[in-house]
Amino acid sequence: MRFEAGTDIAADAQRVWEVLVDVQRWPEWTASTSRVERGEPGPLAVGATARLTQPKLRPAVWRVTELTEGRSFTWVSDTPGVHTRGEHLLSPLPGGGTRVELAIVQSGPLAGPVGWLYGGLLRRYLRLETEGLKRRSEQC
């Protein structure tokens, strides 16, 4: 199961990146996340973890598996029967600004039923995250 959302942001990629990787502050700009607790101090890096609390979902621990500074990061969270991957990609736009693309990819024996039950909520949360990231990044 794959769920995606994207938007164009009138801010340079560095600004958008700074907002995006400051995961502890996500609750300030997206209603999809009510609390984030980092597992370790310092900048987001491969191996870093964060516990996200989201409305209507159980808290989940996410671990960064890939990170390209200023461009993208991927993190994963596992629950019984479902492996979830969160993808975050920034692309500079030719005329200025940044394209952001977010995705949730679920696999495993329970991915189908979970996607059927929570697909609408996941799509909504991805939209809230892209819209919130746009608003926060475009603030001066």
Side-chain angles (χ1 to χ4, degrees):
M1 305 287 304
R2 183 177 180 90
F3 306 96
E4 301 174 323
T7 193
D8 293 345
I9 298 175
D12 65 42
Q14 184 58 38
R15 167 69 181 151
V16 178
W17 180 254
E18 290 168 1
V19 173
L20 182 63
V21 297
D22 190 1
V23 297
Q24 286 178 279
R25 298 187 74 172
W26 284 13
E28 296 175 11
W29 52 261
T30 179
S32 69
T33 306
S34 53
R35 184 175 181 166
V36 178
E37 301 166 78
R38 284 288 309 275
E40 47 288 304
L44 204 62
V46 171
T49 60
R51 179 182 168 92
L52 269 69
T53 303
Q54 298 181 277
K56 301 182 183 180
L57 296 174
R58 288 185 171 179
V61 175
W62 293 82
R63 181 179 43 84
V64 177
T65 57
E66 301 173 38
L67 187 142
T68 301
E69 186 67 34
R71 174 133 170 89
S72 66
F73 81 89
T74 299
W75 58 8
V76 298
S77 181
D78 291 303
T79 58
V82 181
H83 174 79
T84 304
R85 187 173 73 240
E87 302 172 352
H88 311 78
L89 175 65
L90 306 181
S91 304
L93 294 170
T98 305
R99 175 77 184 162
V100 62
E101 296 176 52
L102 305 179
I104 292 289
V105 182
Q106 294 183 316
S107 59
L110 297 179
V114 169
W116 183 79
L117 287 170
Y118 290 98
L121 182 66
L122 294 175
R123 285 183 193 92
R124 179 173 174 263
Y125 282 1
L126 287 169
R127 282 193 308 273
L128 286 170
E129 290 165 18
T130 57
E131 293 165 3
L133 181 60
K134 177 180 176 73
R135 276 190 309 277
R136 176 59 65 100
S137 298
E138 290 178 349
Q139 291 176 344
C140 294

